[in-house]
Amino acid sequence: MVHNLISENDDSGIRSLSGFAYQMRVFIYYMSLMKEEGQIEFETLEDVVLNNNAEENLNDETIHLNSIYTDSKDIYAIQVKRTKITKNSRDKLIYNWLLLQHENKNISKYVLYTEESYGNKDDIFNDSAEIVFQEIMKSRKKSNALVSRVKKLYSNNFEEFKNDYEKIINKFDFISEKDINEKIFSGFSIHFRKGAVSEIIYILRIKALIKEIMGDILLCIDQGQPFICLYTDMMKKIESITLDISDERYEPDFNTFKKYRRINLNESKIMSSREFLQLKKCNLAERRIEEHLIYQQYYEDIRDRYLLDSRLNTVENIESISYENFCCVKEELQEEIDTPLKRLNRTKAMSNSYAINDHTKFGSCIYLTKEDIEDLKKISWEDE
């Protein structure tokens, strides 16, 4: 059940970047561990950061510290690897942590978080401080290389290097996780009142949180900024999702849904789809085509929820009204100049009392232009 409903197949626009999507899911799991006054960060100095005493550390020097506090004193720096760890990646990991340890003496845990299926072992620090130090000092790489920064930092000062290296070893935790989705599923049981709602509602709430956080992270990356989430920010998201998703109501926030989506109009699957080709007939800008395809995905998400909840009649009513609206518009346009864009815009403007909001209504119209829709309710912005 958990694999089917909160799997990475939901990671739409970032599906191909499996390692990156996995990092975000580890981040979301650690969110569930946050305490009051806490803070969690993504892609600052490490992949994931949780800070459970943020108010003491919010200043210009530490605002971008990628760390995790498990209590009021401890900071955890987490590196996430969803790949087979090679000597090269191991060395880079050690170099990053040496820089971090040298600059932030109060790091309490260095965590390497990996997926079990890659068979990584707890052997990152098999080499002695002497061997690692010699390799670094022998390096002839360019000055901006990571190893060169470490070499300059310790500049033949072996005792200082050994001290930092051994401190990292003493603070190191290796985690090889079998199923991160299971960790997420159990981690938010109190936040989303798992015992008080059906499993379907609970999973839908978790899915909504995953999508919202991934959308926030992607937006920050687009802007070249790290993502930082306070405990209060997380709880506000959880409260909003809880109100939107219940046994009586399912209305995911459209702006959150849109923020998470990434549509590549150059993908062959999209370019050959009937809904895309019909939108092209309307002479819309690419950005507007993308937006209409997101309307469609939003409606499909709600449609799936209705079908899962045995509300087939609601789906049929939404779609029959959308098709009826289209037919009325098409008939009216016989009296004037009929264009694909007029059909689209006027159909969208018609009311549909069965749709929970305008975005659902818009999405149902685009959905009915798909190739596999039965002819009796298939919409065409341009007749074929």
Side-chain angles (χ1 to χ4, degrees):
M1 174 70 78
V2 179
H3 286 287
N4 292 336
L5 290 179
I6 60 172
S7 71
E8 287 171 21
N9 289 331
D10 295 318
D11 294 346
S12 185
I14 57 171
R15 195 176 303 160
S16 61
L17 304 176
S18 60
F20 184 54
Y22 187 77
Q23 283 183 18
M24 289 193 278
R25 284 175 178 264
V26 172
F27 176 90
I28 291 165
Y29 161 62
Y30 273 99
M31 281 184 64
S32 70
L33 306 180
M34 267 204 297
K35 302 176 183 179
E36 289 189 35
E37 312 301 337
Q39 163 179 327
I40 188 165
E41 308 170 17
F42 187 88
E43 291 289 6
T44 47
L45 292 182
E46 282 296 346
D47 290 333
V48 176
V49 171
L50 176 66
N51 176 340
N52 275 325
N53 196 20
E55 287 189 357
E56 294 181 7
N57 298 280
L58 288 178
N59 56 59
D60 291 339
E61 293 180 354
T62 61
I63 186 66
H64 296 306
L65 177 63
N66 189 2
S67 59
I68 294 178
Y69 278 83
T70 53
D71 57 37
S72 61
K73 301 296 182 183
D74 294 335
I75 306 173
Y76 282 39
I78 301 176
Q79 182 73 233
V80 181
K81 294 294 182 186
R82 196 189 194 189
T83 184
K84 184 67 177 176
I85 297 175
T86 63
K87 184 181 185 306
N88 183 55
S89 57
R90 184 207 67 176
D91 290 346
K92 288 182 177 179
L93 176 67
I94 293 173
Y95 300 157
N96 271 314
W97 282 349
L98 284 166
L99 294 171
L100 188 57
Q101 174 64 27
H102 190 271
E103 296 169 6
N104 300 280
K105 302 296 186 182
N106 57 344
I107 299 293
S108 54
K109 279 290 182 184
Y110 293 93
V111 180
L112 174 58
Y113 204 106
T114 72
E115 188 175 85
E116 184 181 274
S117 62
Y118 288 90
N120 293 312
K121 304 297 182 183
D122 186 3
D123 56 5
I124 302 300
F125 294 99
N126 276 4
D127 291 339
S128 66
E130 288 80 2
I131 292 174
V132 176
F133 183 77
Q134 288 174 10
E135 287 184 353
I136 293 172
M137 293 304 144
K138 289 178 181 178
S139 172
R140 296 294 182 265
K141 291 190 176 182
K142 294 180 180 179
S143 61
N144 60 348
L146 189 60
V147 64
S148 299
R149 291 171 56 196
V150 176
K151 180 179 179 180
K152 180 179 179 181
L153 186 65
Y154 293 101
S155 60
N156 294 312
N157 189 338
F158 175 70
E159 290 305 317
E160 183 182 13
F161 173 87
K162 182 179 180 181
N163 183 52
D164 284 347
Y165 185 78
E166 291 181 348
K167 282 183 177 179
I168 294 171
I169 293 176
N170 292 331
K171 299 174 183 181
F172 175 66
D173 274 351
F174 175 81
I175 299 175
S176 181
E177 184 59 58
K178 182 176 181 180
D179 190 347
I180 187 61
N181 291 328
E182 289 286 354
K183 301 290 285 187
I184 295 172
F185 181 76
S186 61
F188 287 95
S189 59
I190 295 176
H191 301 79
F192 282 126
R193 304 172 179 88
K194 182 176 183 291
V197 296
S198 67
E199 185 175 58
I200 293 298
I201 294 299
Y202 177 65
I203 291 174
L204 287 171
R205 288 175 175 177
I206 291 178
K207 284 180 66 176
L209 180 66
I210 290 173
K211 291 178 180 180
E212 181 156 353
I213 297 302
M214 285 185 171
D216 289 342
I217 290 172
L218 290 170
L219 183 62
C220 285
I221 289 173
D222 285 345
Q223 297 172 348
Q225 299 292 327
F227 175 65
I228 300 173
C229 180
L230 303 179
Y231 175 84
T232 51
D233 297 331
M234 179 189 72
M235 292 308 298
K236 287 176 183 177
K237 293 178 187 296
I238 287 173
E239 181 67 16
S240 177
I241 290 169
T242 301
L243 292 174
D244 286 342
I245 302 176
S246 65
D247 288 322
E248 299 76 29
R249 172 187 172 91
Y250 182 68
E251 188 175 352
D253 181 75
F254 176 75
N255 284 330
T256 297
F257 186 92
K258 177 181 177 180
K259 179 172 57 178
Y260 165 76
R261 295 288 152 166
R262 291 292 188 276
I263 293 179
N264 182 1
L265 296 182
N266 294 318
E267 286 185 9
S268 59
K269 184 177 180 181
I270 293 178
M271 293 176 66
S272 62
S273 66
R274 188 177 188 273
E275 55 268 37
F276 170 79
L277 294 172
Q278 281 287 311
L279 287 169
K280 285 277 286 183
K281 299 293 186 182
C282 299
N283 292 320
L284 297 173
E286 284 193 354
R287 184 184 63 82
R288 291 288 290 155
I289 292 177
E290 290 173 5
E291 192 160 61
H292 281 76
L293 293 176
I294 292 174
Y295 293 152
Q296 175 194 334
Q297 292 182 359
Y298 180 76
Y299 171 66
E300 288 176 338
D301 184 76
I302 291 173
R303 186 180 192 274
D304 289 344
R305 168 69 180 113
Y306 286 161
L307 294 177
L308 193 63
D309 204 26
S310 301
R311 294 174 61 183
L312 176 61
N313 285 343
T314 302
V315 170
E316 290 180 339
N317 284 326
I318 292 172
E319 294 175 5
S320 65
I321 294 297
S322 292
Y323 182 72
E324 175 64 21
N325 288 342
F326 164 73
C327 291
C328 291
V329 167
K330 187 176 178 181
E331 290 166 356
E332 290 175 0
L333 285 172
Q334 291 178 359
E335 305 298 321
E336 52 184 288
I337 299 175
D338 183 4
T339 68
L341 183 59
K342 285 182 179 180
R343 289 188 185 187
L344 170 65
N345 287 339
R346 293 192 188 184
T347 302
K348 286 168 56 185
M350 300 280 280
S351 65
N352 188 333
S353 60
Y354 291 100
I356 56 174
N357 53 39
D358 282 345
H359 301 113
T360 305
K361 178 182 69 174
F362 299 161
S364 68
C365 297
I366 308 304
Y367 174 81
L368 292 179
T369 66
K370 293 178 66 175
E371 185 64 51
D372 57 358
I373 299 297
E374 59 183 302
D375 291 340
L376 289 176
K377 60 177 183 179
K378 183 180 289 187
I379 288 176
S380 298
W381 309 126
E382 180 177 275
D383 293 330
E384 296 172 318

Short mmCIF file of all heavy atoms in Angstrom, two decimals, residues 20 24 27-28 42-43 212-222 225 227 262:
data_model
loop_
_atom_site.label_atom_id
_atom_site.label_comp_id
_atom_site.label_asym_id
_atom_site.label_seq_id
_atom_site.Cartn_x
_atom_site.Cartn_y
_atom_site.Cartn_z
N PHE A 20 18.30 12.78 -6.69
CA PHE A 20 17.84 14.06 -6.17
C PHE A 20 16.49 13.90 -5.48
O PHE A 20 16.26 14.44 -4.40
CB PHE A 20 17.75 15.05 -7.33
CG PHE A 20 17.37 16.44 -6.91
CD1 PHE A 20 18.08 17.11 -5.94
CD2 PHE A 20 16.31 17.09 -7.52
CE1 PHE A 20 17.75 18.40 -5.55
CE2 PHE A 20 15.97 18.38 -7.14
CZ PHE A 20 16.69 19.02 -6.16
N MET A 24 15.39 14.46 -1.38
CA MET A 24 14.25 15.22 -0.88
C MET A 24 13.38 14.37 0.03
O MET A 24 12.81 14.86 1.01
CB MET A 24 13.45 15.80 -2.04
CG MET A 24 14.18 16.94 -2.75
SD MET A 24 13.12 17.87 -3.87
CE MET A 24 13.17 16.80 -5.30
N PHE A 27 15.02 14.17 3.32
CA PHE A 27 14.76 15.47 3.94
C PHE A 27 13.37 15.47 4.61
O PHE A 27 13.22 15.89 5.76
CB PHE A 27 14.84 16.55 2.87
CG PHE A 27 14.49 17.94 3.35
CD1 PHE A 27 15.46 18.78 3.86
CD2 PHE A 27 13.19 18.41 3.27
CE1 PHE A 27 15.15 20.05 4.30
CE2 PHE A 27 12.86 19.68 3.70
CZ PHE A 27 13.85 20.50 4.21
N ILE A 28 12.36 14.98 3.88
CA ILE A 28 10.99 14.97 4.40
C ILE A 28 10.88 14.04 5.61
O ILE A 28 10.19 14.35 6.58
CB ILE A 28 10.00 14.59 3.29
CG1 ILE A 28 9.93 15.72 2.25
CG2 ILE A 28 8.61 14.31 3.85
CD1 ILE A 28 9.28 15.35 0.95
N PHE A 42 17.93 22.31 3.36
CA PHE A 42 18.26 21.45 2.23
C PHE A 42 19.30 22.12 1.35
O PHE A 42 19.12 23.27 0.95
CB PHE A 42 17.01 21.16 1.40
CG PHE A 42 17.23 20.15 0.30
CD1 PHE A 42 17.08 18.80 0.54
CD2 PHE A 42 17.59 20.54 -0.98
CE1 PHE A 42 17.27 17.85 -0.46
CE2 PHE A 42 17.80 19.61 -1.99
CZ PHE A 42 17.64 18.27 -1.72
N GLU A 43 20.39 21.38 1.05
CA GLU A 43 21.45 21.85 0.15
C GLU A 43 22.07 23.18 0.60
O GLU A 43 22.08 24.16 -0.11
CB GLU A 43 20.92 21.99 -1.28
CG GLU A 43 20.60 20.65 -1.93
CD GLU A 43 21.84 19.84 -2.27
OE1 GLU A 43 22.94 20.26 -1.92
OE2 GLU A 43 21.67 18.77 -2.90
N GLU A 212 4.24 19.32 -1.70
CA GLU A 212 4.44 20.73 -1.32
C GLU A 212 5.90 21.01 -1.00
O GLU A 212 6.46 22.02 -1.44
CB GLU A 212 3.55 21.09 -0.14
CG GLU A 212 3.70 22.54 0.28
CD GLU A 212 2.51 23.08 1.02
OE1 GLU A 212 1.49 22.39 1.12
OE2 GLU A 212 2.61 24.23 1.49
N ILE A 213 6.54 20.14 -0.23
CA ILE A 213 7.94 20.36 0.14
C ILE A 213 8.84 20.26 -1.08
O ILE A 213 9.75 21.07 -1.27
CB ILE A 213 8.38 19.36 1.22
CG1 ILE A 213 7.58 19.57 2.51
CG2 ILE A 213 9.87 19.51 1.50
CD1 ILE A 213 7.70 20.97 3.09
N MET A 214 8.59 19.27 -1.95
CA MET A 214 9.39 19.17 -3.17
C MET A 214 9.22 20.41 -4.03
O MET A 214 10.19 20.90 -4.63
CB MET A 214 9.00 17.91 -3.95
CG MET A 214 9.51 16.62 -3.34
SD MET A 214 9.16 15.19 -4.37
CE MET A 214 10.10 13.91 -3.54
N GLY A 215 8.00 20.93 -4.10
CA GLY A 215 7.77 22.16 -4.85
C GLY A 215 8.54 23.33 -4.27
O GLY A 215 9.15 24.13 -5.01
N ASP A 216 8.56 23.45 -2.94
CA ASP A 216 9.31 24.53 -2.28
C ASP A 216 10.81 24.40 -2.56
O ASP A 216 11.50 25.39 -2.82
CB ASP A 216 9.08 24.47 -0.77
CG ASP A 216 7.67 24.91 -0.37
OD1 ASP A 216 7.01 25.57 -1.20
OD2 ASP A 216 7.25 24.59 0.75
N ILE A 217 11.31 23.17 -2.51
CA ILE A 217 12.74 22.94 -2.75
C ILE A 217 13.10 23.30 -4.19
O ILE A 217 14.10 23.99 -4.44
CB ILE A 217 13.11 21.48 -2.45
CG1 ILE A 217 13.04 21.21 -0.93
CG2 ILE A 217 14.52 21.15 -2.96
CD1 ILE A 217 13.20 19.76 -0.55
N LEU A 218 12.30 22.84 -5.15
CA LEU A 218 12.57 23.12 -6.56
C LEU A 218 12.53 24.62 -6.84
O LEU A 218 13.34 25.14 -7.62
CB LEU A 218 11.57 22.39 -7.45
CG LEU A 218 11.72 20.86 -7.49
CD1 LEU A 218 10.53 20.24 -8.20
CD2 LEU A 218 13.02 20.47 -8.18
N LEU A 219 11.60 25.32 -6.21
CA LEU A 219 11.51 26.77 -6.39
C LEU A 219 12.76 27.45 -5.87
O LEU A 219 13.31 28.36 -6.52
CB LEU A 219 10.27 27.31 -5.68
CG LEU A 219 10.00 28.80 -5.83
CD1 LEU A 219 9.77 29.16 -7.30
CD2 LEU A 219 8.79 29.21 -4.99
N CYS A 220 13.25 27.04 -4.70
CA CYS A 220 14.47 27.63 -4.13
C CYS A 220 15.67 27.34 -5.02
O CYS A 220 16.53 28.21 -5.22
CB CYS A 220 14.71 27.09 -2.72
SG CYS A 220 13.61 27.79 -1.48
N ILE A 221 15.74 26.13 -5.56
CA ILE A 221 16.86 25.78 -6.44
C ILE A 221 16.82 26.62 -7.71
O ILE A 221 17.84 27.08 -8.20
CB ILE A 221 16.82 24.27 -6.77
CG1 ILE A 221 17.20 23.48 -5.51
CG2 ILE A 221 17.76 23.93 -7.91
CD1 ILE A 221 17.04 21.99 -5.66
N ASP A 222 15.62 26.83 -8.26
CA ASP A 222 15.47 27.69 -9.44
C ASP A 222 16.00 29.09 -9.17
O ASP A 222 16.54 29.76 -10.06
CB ASP A 222 14.00 27.78 -9.86
CG ASP A 222 13.52 26.51 -10.56
OD1 ASP A 222 14.38 25.69 -10.95
OD2 ASP A 222 12.30 26.33 -10.68
N GLN A 225 18.83 29.41 -4.28
CA GLN A 225 18.83 29.57 -2.84
C GLN A 225 18.67 28.21 -2.15
O GLN A 225 18.05 27.30 -2.69
CB GLN A 225 17.66 30.47 -2.41
CG GLN A 225 17.71 31.88 -2.97
CD GLN A 225 18.86 32.68 -2.39
OE1 GLN A 225 19.23 32.50 -1.22
NE2 GLN A 225 19.42 33.57 -3.19
N PHE A 227 16.96 25.74 0.70
CA PHE A 227 15.62 25.70 1.28
C PHE A 227 15.73 25.50 2.77
O PHE A 227 16.38 24.56 3.24
CB PHE A 227 14.79 24.58 0.66
CG PHE A 227 13.45 24.42 1.31
CD1 PHE A 227 12.50 25.42 1.23
CD2 PHE A 227 13.14 23.26 2.02
CE1 PHE A 227 11.26 25.29 1.85
CE2 PHE A 227 11.91 23.12 2.64
CZ PHE A 227 10.96 24.12 2.55
N ARG A 262 6.66 19.85 -13.08
CA ARG A 262 7.62 20.23 -14.11
C ARG A 262 7.21 19.54 -15.40
O ARG A 262 7.22 18.31 -15.48
CB ARG A 262 9.05 19.81 -13.73
CG ARG A 262 9.65 20.60 -12.57
CD ARG A 262 9.91 22.05 -12.97
NE ARG A 262 10.65 22.77 -11.95
CZ ARG A 262 10.09 23.36 -10.89
NH1 ARG A 262 8.79 23.27 -10.71
NH2 ARG A 262 10.83 24.02 -10.02
#
